[in-house]
Amino acid sequence: MGLVLRSFATVNEAGAALSEPGARYLGGGTLAVRAVNEGDVSVHSLVRITDPQLSRIELSEGRARIGASVTMARVAANPGIAFLAPAAMAVGGPAVRNMATVGGNLFAPAPYGDFAVALLALDAKVDARKDMPMERFLETRGALAKGSIVTAVSFALPSEGGFRFRKVSRVKPKGTSVLSIAAVIEEDPDGTIRSARIALGCMADRPIRAHAAERALVGSRRTEQGIAAALAVAGEGTHPVTDPVASAWYRAEVLPVHLRRLLLY
Amino acid sequence: MPKVPVQFALNGEEKAEFVESGTSLLTLLRDKIGDTSPKGGCHQGTCGACSVIIDGELKLSCLVLAETCGNASVQTTGGLAADGVLHPLQRAFLDHFAAQCGFCTPGMIMAAKALLDRNPDPTREDVVEAISGNICRCTGYEPIIQAVMAAAQGNSQRVA
Ligand SMILES: Cc1cc2nc3c(=O)[nH]c(=O)nc-3n(C[C@H](O)[C@H](O)[C@H](O)COP(=O)(O)OP(=O)(O)OC[C@H]3O[C@@H](n4cnc5c(N)ncnc54)[C@H](O)[C@@H]3O)c2cc1C
Ligand code: FES
Ligand code: FES
């Protein structure tokens, strides 16, 4: 059984083609075509959408909306969302970033999905057939209705300096994640933490929130003592993956170390 | 297997081919057109040996479906030398011993070209970043970095 590529101008037309058996959506193809090259014969057709709307980045009224077909390279080059450049630059090397899409990253299994970690900390909304908050989307992404297509993600722009991101890898400058962490921290003028959202990559089969650590931070400050309680519960609810990069044990051990660095520096 | 037409420019030369749907650009270039400069190292996106420049952007031809390249401009290392004169990057790779087995070289040169096209005066860090998706098992990378820096400075001669 060979492979067929089917191109459509609109999301609606593509949806029908995607509902057929063996059909898979094609974003940048860095995972989908790789799977085919590796001999995944369950894929009979790849379905892509050429609608330029999916490749837009729109900024208005303090919100950003990034089309699903926008590549990591385009995110990194957009001055309106410059705070996200480190997360986009964390995905693969230059060629991968010219191909890898935002939509595809939402589906990338651990140890991939570094950009999705950033979007989870931003509490992004995922536009699919139904709009969904990022956390809910990630919980259900394996069971999305056949033919579901993500068209965009959108989020409120964090305040200046409010977004933090760190990818930990052993190979520099480019390497697969031991883990990645993103946080959106809002602080009062006196430094008291008003709200905190922390997202972790590689600490489960999908990016997850560190809810216990978030709760421990609120009302506290970003000092050694102020974050101690959050570090102590950072691993709560995590099920780190084991892969050739690191064991689950190692990931659990180093998570508080890197969370501390993320919060303090 | 359905065959689909694809028309694109390869190193400035118009190509019109029929490919089996789902064929990678790498397979089309190597097996049908006969430009064997892009190499198939892994077919997984990890080695960078298949790197080509499509419409000005560095991409991995093993993961690009040929049919998606309609009307595109594709550049490969095979098209760099003009009238028997090597491109400055090729010259610099020779002069700096930046190739041993040579398998990574065409991909490295494309990655370097994509950098220099955008940034003619790169720092060492820029060069390291630019070739970070390309694996070399022979040189230890240092001669490659030296070669790219030298080519950028218009000075391909090896410094003693
Ligand atoms: C060498 C290499 C290095 C990499 N390094 C990293 C890394 O450091 N960090 C990282 O996070 N990832 C990495 N990746 C993985 C991958 O490149 C990225 O996760 C990328 O963002 C995936 O996007 P894509 O557009 O290529 O997805 P595709 O391969 O096109 O699609 C991936 C999956 O998502 C589905 N899909 C894609 N878009 C949509 C949509 N809009 N709606 C519904 N379903 C969709 C596809 O059907 C497919 O199942 C790497 C990959 C390679 C080959
Ligand atoms: S053959 Fe394409 S990246 Fe290795
Ligand atoms: S010269 Fe042999 S792989 Fe680079």
Side-chain angles (χ1 to χ4, degrees), chain B residues 26 39-50 60-62:
Chain B
L26 178 64
K39 307 294 178 211
C42 67
H43 301 270
Q44 297 181 340
T46 43
C47 76
C50 66
L60 301 167
S61 64
C62 70

Side-chain angles (χ1 to χ4, degrees), chain B residues 55-157:
Chain B
D55 291 333
E57 293 188 337
L58 188 73
K59 296 205 170 160
L60 301 167
S61 64
C62 70
L63 298 181
V64 171
L65 297 185
E67 303 152 71
T68 63
C69 296
N71 300 321
S73 159
V74 178
Q75 282 178 284
T76 66
T77 296
L80 282 185
D83 303 324
V85 180
L86 293 183
H87 184 277
L89 273 167
Q90 292 174 303
R91 185 80 249 162
F93 267 63
L94 262 181
D95 291 344
H96 291 261
F97 303 107
Q100 287 182 28
C101 78
F103 200 78
C104 71
T105 311
M108 285 287 181
I109 288 183
M110 280 294 112
K113 181 165 192 302
L115 168 70
L116 298 189
D117 286 350
R118 255 180 309 112
N119 176 3
D121 188 21
T123 62
R124 186 190 156 87
E125 285 66 45
D126 294 334
V127 174
V128 169
E129 171 60 39
I131 61 166
S132 63
N134 296 68
I135 291 175
C136 176
R137 290 289 81 152
C138 303
T139 64
Y141 300 99
E142 197 52 42
I144 296 174
I145 298 167
Q146 298 285 327
V148 179
M149 295 295 287
Q153 285 151 16
N155 151 33
S156 70
Q157 288 309 306

Side-chain angles (χ1 to χ4, degrees), chain A residues 3 5 34 38 74 97, chain B residues 21 43-44 57-58 62 129:
Chain A
L3 181 71
L5 172 71
R34 176 157 103 171
E38 284 172 347
R74 290 286 150 86
R97 289 196 295 273
Chain B
S21 189
H43 301 270
Q44 297 181 340
E57 293 188 337
L58 188 73
C62 70
E129 171 60 39

Side-chain angles (χ1 to χ4, degrees), chain A residues 155-179:
Chain A
F155 49 85
L157 296 172
S159 57
E160 184 74 33
F163 176 83
R164 287 156 185 267
F165 179 82
R166 182 175 274 260
K167 169 171 168 171
V168 182
S169 54
R170 301 193 193 212
V171 181
K172 301 281 185 304
K174 186 205 90 137
T176 310
S177 277
V178 171
L179 52 86

Side-chain angles (χ1 to χ4, degrees), chain A residues 39-95:
Chain A
D40 183 346
V41 289
S42 71
V43 185
H44 298 172
S45 62
L46 288 169
V47 175
R48 71 169 181 153
I49 304 174
T50 52
D51 185 352
Q53 187 63 35
L54 295 188
S55 299
R56 290 227 171 95
I57 299 179
E58 286 157 23
L59 298 160
S60 75
E61 292 166 14
R63 285 188 72 82
R65 186 183 150 86
I66 309 180
S69 302
V70 172
T71 60
M72 295 299 145
R74 290 286 150 86
V75 170
N78 192 302
I81 45 174
F83 73 94
L84 268 178
M89 292 296 286
V91 176

Side-chain angles (χ1 to χ4, degrees), chain A:
Chain A
M1 189 61 210
L3 181 71
V4 186
L5 172 71
R6 303 179 68 189
S7 301
F8 297 94
T10 66
V11 174
N12 282 343
E13 294 165 87
L18 261 186
S19 310
E20 291 170 18
R24 186 171 314 176
Y25 188 80
L26 177 68
T30 57
L31 293 172
V33 177
R34 176 157 103 171
V36 171
N37 288 353
E38 284 172 347
D40 183 346
V41 289
S42 71
V43 185
H44 298 172
S45 62
L46 288 169
V47 175
R48 71 169 181 153
I49 304 174
T50 52
D51 185 352
Q53 187 63 35
L54 295 188
S55 299
R56 290 227 171 95
I57 299 179
E58 286 157 23
L59 298 160
S60 75
E61 292 166 14
R63 285 188 72 82
R65 186 183 150 86
I66 309 180
S69 302
V70 172
T71 60
M72 295 299 145
R74 290 286 150 86
V75 170
N78 192 302
I81 45 174
F83 73 94
L84 268 178
M89 292 296 286
V91 176
V96 167
R97 289 196 295 273
N98 283 334
M99 303 171 71
T101 65
V102 169
N105 208 264
L106 299 182
F107 292 90
Y112 294 146
D114 297 311
F115 195 74
V117 171
L119 290 173
L120 179 58
L122 288 163
D123 196 22
K125 186 163 73 68
V126 179
D127 293 4
R129 195 171 285 169
K130 277 190 315 210
D131 290 356
M132 258 186 273
M134 191 66 191
E135 190 171 22
R136 172 106 188 93
F137 168 82
L138 290 166
E139 278 162 15
T140 56
R141 70 180 177 185
L144 278 188
K146 271 216 96 14
S148 285
I149 296 168
V150 173
T151 53
V153 293
S154 62
F155 49 85
L157 296 172
S159 57
E160 184 74 33
F163 176 83
R164 287 156 185 267
F165 179 82
R166 182 175 274 260
K167 169 171 168 171
V168 182
S169 54
R170 301 193 193 212
V171 181
K172 301 281 185 304
K174 186 205 90 137
T176 310
S177 277
V178 171
L179 52 86
S180 49
I181 320 178
V184 175
I185 312 271
E186 303 283 347
E187 292 165 330
D188 287 334
D190 72 350
T192 307
I193 296 172
R194 207 178 329 126
S195 71
R197 284 193 304 268
I198 301 171
L200 309 174
C202 295
M203 298 309 289
D205 60 352
R206 57 174 187 276
I208 54 168
R209 289 270 293 271
H211 286 294
E214 293 173 354
R215 280 193 296 272
L217 280 180
V218 174
S220 181
R221 281 165 200 255
R222 284 190 305 106
T223 59
E224 291 283 1
Q225 294 101 323
I227 66 167
L231 298 188
V233 295
E236 224 169 80
T238 63
H239 304 278
V241 295
T242 288
D243 60 22
V245 174
S247 65
W249 173 85
Y250 180 79
R251 286 185 160 107
E253 285 295 307
V254 298
L255 171 64
V257 176
H258 294 293
L259 181 57
R260 173 180 169 276
R261 290 181 190 163
L262 178 88
L263 292 172
L264 293 188
Y265 304 114

